[in-house]
Amino acid sequence: MVFDIRSHILDSGYVIMNSTSTSDVIGRRVEVNGEHATVRFSGLVPPVAGLWLGVEWDNPERGKHDGSHEGTVYFKCRHPTAGSFIRPHKVNFGVDFLTAIKNRYVLEDEPKEEETEQIVIIGNKPVETIGFDSVIKQQSQLSKLQDVSLRNCAVNGAGDKGEIAKACPNIRSIDLSKNLLSSWEEVIDIADQLKHLEVLNLSENKLTSPSSSPSPTGTFPTLKVLVLNRTGVTWAEVLRCASGWPVLEKLYLESNNIIISERPTDVLQTVKLLDLSSNQLIDENQLFLIAYLPRLEQLILSDIGISSIHFPDAGIGCKTSMFPSLQYLVLNDNQIAQWSFMNELDKLQSLHALSCTRNPLTEGSKDAQTTRQFIIARIGQLRTLNKCAIEPEERRGAELDYRKAFGNEWKKAGGHQDPEKNRPNEEFLAAHPRYQALCLKYGAPEDGELKTQQPFLLKNQLLTLKIKYPNQHDQKVIEKQLPDSMTVQKVKGLLSRLLKVPVSELLLSYESPKMPGKEVELENDLQPLRFYSVENGDCLLVRW
Amino acid sequence: MRECLSIHIGQAGVQIGGACWELYCLEHGIQPDGVVLDGGQDLLAPAKTEPTRASFDSFFCETRAGKYVPRALFMDLEPTVVDGVRAGSYRSLFHSEQLVSGKEDAANNYARGRYSVGPEILDLVLERIRKLAEHCSGLQGFLIFRSFGGGTGSGFTSLLLEQLSVEYSGKTKLDFSVYPAPRISTAVVEPYNSILTTHPTIEHVDCTFLVDNEAIYNICHGKLDLERPSYASINRLISQAASSITASLRFEGILNVDLIEFQTNLVPYPRIHFPVTSFAPILSADSTHHKEPSVSDITAACFEPSHQLVRCDPRLGKYVACCLLYRGDVVPKEVNAAIAATKLRNSIQFVDWCPTGFKVGINDRPPREVPGGDLAEVQRAVCMLSNSTAVAEAWARLGHKFDLMFAKRAFLHWYIREGMEEGEFAEAREDLAVLEKDYEEMGRSL
């Protein structure tokens, strides 16, 4: 039985099967009322007469069954409701590439008598269009077309050999997303004729891989950008075809359920940007397999469900040899909840921009400002975080705050201002690998900085002071609790009543265990004790 | 022929200008030192679409050395911001005479910009503009970039515009103004400055494209995942809108719209010249290629208030005129279908008496984005300019804030001290009240 598709274009651009089927039709991609499907079966389905096509819909809920009908299995589907039987005339097999271009850009078959443009009316007013005929004329110069979009135009293949090369050889960028291409061979047939092709978008086409034979992968000598989002392509297939992309710079593989199964050894070496978003099956170990792509500068890993990472070849505070050129890393919408993740990112040699929103670590009740600061402090070479540049003042503030925030922990772990005695334990160093470097940069945190703010209660404002009388040897040293806001005058008054000495004869000074040998005079009666930095445990010296 | 001079005034104007010229250079293939990238074009020389060189002319001036210099002037009353351009990555693009700065700024004070500090530098600025105009064979008009709220942007601009009307009468003047954000304010006296500047300039400007920082903050925050949008991000978004509006001036070919045609379409009365700008699609760069919006997607998006660059609700007002400027891979068939769909979906009310409804144009040059920018590069984009009575809402808001302060004569002394009188305030406010009434009148049925 000969299969004959006549390119019979009706006004809706549908192609009808003209003859009875053969197995040629199995595996073809088709479209029915906007829904795409793959033909899995063609033949008779008793007891109903006539030819039926069995299709597996892209949308698993669109169908009625899984390919079996009344007990007989006609074809298999991946989902129980992904299959349907459809009459052949209801199915659109698509058009070839050139026909699609002509449909979109040139009204070739339209009768020429209508000079006036179609007027659309909105709200009683006609919509005036400017220059639409010139647009049409311009775009109709197929040979001049450079950037072409044929998204959702039911393209099923290249058409006759060599026609594309004759008609529009200068195409540099083409969007063939959401069409009816069913195999890599078809893509190669089209692309082989476009010698200047730089950008190719094949998203949302379900392409079957070339069989195991290595040759028919085709070469795309100028291709720089390849978009394969939502195509169901596997990593192995990508690598197999990648030998045909010698200068590829950007590769988009979003939402393909990819599992990175092998290391790309001779291929993908020129890739600068790799988008692996929404591939939930990727885990951190798989990432090691792409860690040695020499030119990889931008890696997009949004929404892959990653929660941890560890570079085994680098110890605390060292740089890893993995991802040597990586400058910009996108980790939005993941499951990162540990600060250790950020510590690991500091090991990347070239990282200077990070986007990391909508992770458990950054969401929740935590103060967003503090989280941002801690990320900045933990990753030393970061220059942009969440698309917001990190100014030098911001970095300085963030690092100082981080150093202060963990100062007490550092001390408890064995840290000390004296470099001789400074030996924080391994656990602390693992949790805060940059801490020592920050101490070197800004100095170790002072104890004064580390004092936690006491709540503003009166009892917290009281200073416990010893009172000594250096000139009277018989008087006992007493202890008194005084508020630090108490003025020197009032202290003298208190002491005067205590010692039965007139106020005017009293001379006050104090000494502190922190400053042995030094005595500070409290000469201004009107100033409070805190003006002179009198602290808890100091000793007032009273003379008269 | 048909050259346009861009004048960037004050901090806002200069910084937006930086973003705009960076984008124009990218679109025309001009490198930061003014030389055109020629490399890849030779390959396709025979098959190229119409040469883009001729179109540079309206915005760039070709020197004898083969460099392209923008037809622009940057000025500010204090040096910091202009120094940023002098030292920035595009410093070799501009001639030093195009970058004018004073020593003492206007301190957010209209009176200083207009009466005390501004006049000292006015002559210098006018002379530089004259020089730029001399290099034009057929000057079409001016594009002014400035903010309403600042001292230089409000005061000096009003002074300059009056002079330009005298010296270059008959030339169109379009204004890109940053309107004070409703809830994010950088200076308390922004309402004063805004209203004081609107009163004298309204007669000298042919069309004003308003943008407000708050609307753009919300866009950056909501659609572009920027937790803290910087002025750089905001300015890049504004520059995309400015690029769409000026695309037809800079690229020859399909749609030869000159500045006068803008006015004719959008402005029914001389004073009613404040269209609302909307822009679509707005997608984050991290999601490049995750979505490819179609013509119908972007057309529908334009009618959503979240895509507007000014906060107001056109669904509550009536449209006088509407311009849709498409760019990139856009086919007339799809545009017609998209517009027909819009008609079904949105309740777009037009005023009874105005004959023009929608005007639609296509420019086939694709939208570009600065590398490292926040927006994804897409194949097609649209900028919608709609003259709607809803803009009166924005004026009413401003008027209300003005009234609150003026009733108490708060902050007035700063202006009086520089030589202004209370009467000028009252007059300006009166003028705004008349403008609001005009909008109301317009929306009323016959």
Side-chain angles (χ1 to χ4, degrees), chain B residues 92-310:
Chain B
S92 343
L93 189 64
F94 300 100
H95 196 271
S96 60
E97 294 212 329
Q98 294 174 280
L99 307 171
V100 179
S101 58
K103 297 204 188 55
E104 216 190 332
D105 81 337
N108 275 324
N109 189 337
Y110 171 89
R112 281 173 69 89
R114 172 145 183 149
Y115 295 112
S116 39
V117 184
E120 292 170 21
I121 207 177
L122 179 66
D123 287 328
L124 177 61
V125 171
L126 285 172
E127 188 212 308
R128 298 283 166 86
I129 294 178
R130 235 169 269 135
K131 277 232 180 91
L132 285 171
E134 275 164 26
H135 288 294
C136 300
S137 52
L139 178 65
Q140 230 188 117
F142 299 91
L143 297 164
I144 321 272
F145 290 77
R146 52 100 172 221
S147 71
F148 274 174
T152 316
S154 59
F156 185 77
T157 311
S158 63
L159 190 59
L160 182 66
L161 285 173
E162 284 175 2
Q163 291 301 317
L164 288 180
S165 286
V166 171
E167 227 177 289
Y168 303 91
S169 64
K171 307 289 181 200
T172 314
K173 290 193 277 304
L174 296 186
D175 186 13
F176 284 82
S177 296
V178 179
Y179 166 94
R183 285 175 307 179
I184 308 170
S185 170
T186 44
V188 174
V189 293
E190 282 172 345
Y192 278 166
N193 292 338
S194 308
I195 293 179
L196 286 170
T197 190
T198 309
H199 169 50
T201 56
I202 201 167
E203 312 160 1
H204 300 289
V205 167
D206 299 295
C207 195
T208 302
F209 301 102
L210 293 173
V211 291
D212 94 51
N213 277 346
E214 190 179 318
I216 303 185
Y217 269 128
N218 289 339
I219 290 177
C220 288
H221 204 270
K223 296 188 194 296
L224 298 176
D225 274 344
L226 296 170
E227 54 181 11
R228 288 194 294 170
S230 58
Y231 275 144
S233 311
I234 293 176
N235 290 339
R236 271 189 228 124
L237 202 56
I238 298 177
S239 67
Q240 286 289 345
S243 169
S244 290
I245 294 172
T246 55
S248 50
L249 299 166
R250 291 179 290 118
F251 296 103
E252 279 281 357
I254 294 176
L255 184 53
N256 254 1
V257 173
D258 57 20
L259 291 182
I260 303 199
E261 199 158 341
F262 266 122
Q263 297 166 245
T264 327
N265 284 332
L266 286 174
V267 181
Y269 298 98
R271 283 162 60 87
I272 312 293
H273 61 237
F274 299 94
V276 175
T277 319
S278 292
F279 189 76
I282 301 178
L283 295 172
S284 167
D286 287 340
S287 313
T288 308
H289 290 305
H290 288 196
K291 276 192 246 176
E292 292 287 6
S294 62
V295 173
S296 51
D297 293 334
I298 57 180
T299 311
C302 270
F303 288 92
E304 282 168 36
S306 60
H307 279 259
Q308 277 165 219
L309 300 185
V310 182

Side-chain angles (χ1 to χ4, degrees), chain A residues 74-356:
Chain A
Y74 291 92
F75 61 97
K76 289 254 170 56
C77 287
R78 259 167 275 163
H79 285 100
T81 51
S84 291
F85 289 107
I86 277 199
R87 290 292 186 193
H89 66 262
K90 290 212 171 124
V91 164
N92 179 16
F93 278 84
V95 295
D96 69 271
F97 185 86
L98 271 183
T99 312
I101 287 197
K102 286 178 193 163
N103 278 351
R104 187 158 188 261
Y105 291 99
V106 173
L107 303 171
E108 208 184 26
D109 294 349
E110 296 284 305
K112 286 292 184 212
E113 358 101 6
E114 48 170 340
E115 288 299 337
T116 53
E117 295 162 10
Q118 277 220 312
I119 316 264
V120 183
I121 312 269
I122 294 191
N124 295 334
K125 319 255 171 242
V127 173
E128 249 184 82
T129 54
I130 315 238
F132 272 23
D133 347 289
S134 354
V135 174
I136 290 168
K137 232 179 270 164
Q138 184 98 10
Q139 291 174 336
S140 71
Q141 316 273 15
L142 288 178
S143 56
K144 294 189 180 167
L145 282 180
Q146 286 185 13
D147 297 304
V148 169
S149 172
L150 289 176
R151 182 180 164 80
N152 208 5
C153 290
V155 176
N156 62 17
D160 294 327
K161 209 167 167 62
E163 286 301 311
I164 299 177
K166 262 197 283 184
C168 39
N170 292 307
I171 290 181
R172 280 205 284 200
S173 153
I174 181 150
D175 180 1
L176 276 170
S177 55
K178 211 165 177 198
N179 278 301
L180 300 178
L181 298 164
S182 50
S183 71
W184 270 108
E185 275 90 14
E186 279 161 13
V187 176
I188 291 163
D189 283 343
I190 296 174
D192 259 353
Q193 304 183 50
L194 300 171
K195 294 292 166 216
H196 302 289
L197 190 64
E198 290 180 13
V199 179
L200 178 59
N201 189 338
L202 291 167
S203 302
E204 296 178 79
N205 286 296
K206 294 224 180 303
L207 303 168
T208 57
S209 62
S211 51
S212 48
S213 62
S215 47
T217 50
T219 314
F220 300 61
T222 46
L223 191 68
K224 295 215 181 108
V225 179
L226 180 60
V227 187
L228 291 169
N229 299 339
R230 272 161 279 141
T231 52
V233 71
T234 67
W235 186 252
E237 287 166 0
V238 170
L239 291 194
R240 220 182 298 145
C241 296
S243 50
W245 313 326
V247 296
L248 192 68
E249 289 180 10
K250 298 188 185 176
L251 180 59
Y252 295 85
L253 293 168
E254 180 233 347
S255 290
N256 284 315
N257 279 331
I258 284 196
I259 299 176
I260 303 176
S261 49
E262 48 185 295
R263 220 177 117 147
T265 36
D266 301 316
V267 291
L268 298 182
Q269 300 296 308
T270 48
V271 167
K272 287 193 196 161
L273 181 151
L274 184 58
D275 183 354
L276 288 167
S277 312
S278 302
N279 287 298
Q280 301 273 334
L281 300 173
I282 292 186
D283 65 30
E284 58 173 291
N285 293 318
Q286 294 176 36
L287 289 178
F288 297 153
L289 294 170
I290 50 168
Y292 295 98
L293 292 169
R295 303 246 174 89
L296 189 65
E297 290 173 12
Q298 201 172 340
L299 184 57
I300 306 180
L301 295 175
S302 304
D303 188 34
I304 62 171
I306 195 171
S307 55
S308 66
I309 195 154
H310 176 63
F311 297 111
D313 65 331
I316 298 172
C318 301
K319 295 290 177 194
T320 176
S321 59
M322 298 193 180
F323 297 106
S325 311
L326 189 64
Q327 293 176 13
Y328 180 32
L329 181 59
V330 180
L331 288 165
N332 300 328
D333 300 292
N334 277 307
Q335 299 298 324
I336 301 169
Q338 307 287 343
W339 283 110
S340 52
F341 200 107
M342 299 299 146
N343 293 339
E344 289 293 312
L345 291 182
D346 187 44
K347 292 182 183 171
L348 290 167
Q349 290 172 32
S350 313
L351 188 73
H352 57 68
L354 174 69
S355 280
C356 175

Side-chain angles (χ1 to χ4, degrees), chain A residues 4-10 13-18 28 92-100 103 109 154 156-160:
Chain A
D4 169 25
I5 306 177
R6 233 162 269 158
S7 289
H8 186 91
I9 305 172
L10 303 183
Y14 267 51
V15 171
I16 305 178
M17 276 179 58
N18 268 353
R28 291 284 298 270
N92 179 16
F93 278 84
V95 295
D96 69 271
F97 185 86
L98 271 183
T99 312
N103 278 351
D109 294 349
N156 62 17
D160 294 327

Side-chain angles (χ1 to χ4, degrees), chain A residues 381-425:
Chain A
Q381 70 272 38
L382 208 60
R383 282 184 246 155
T384 309
L385 176 59
N386 294 334
K387 302 206 166 246
C388 200
I390 302 171
E391 300 293 322
E393 309 87 60
E394 189 183 6
R395 171 160 284 283
R396 188 184 143 80
E399 290 179 340
L400 285 171
D401 274 351
Y402 173 74
R403 173 178 145 278
K404 181 163 144 187
F406 290 97
N408 283 323
E409 219 179 284
W410 170 71
K411 290 188 79 172
K412 263 191 241 151
H416 201 277
Q417 281 92 350
D418 182 350
E420 303 281 302
K421 302 193 193 139
N422 185 23
R423 242 164 265 128
N425 62 29

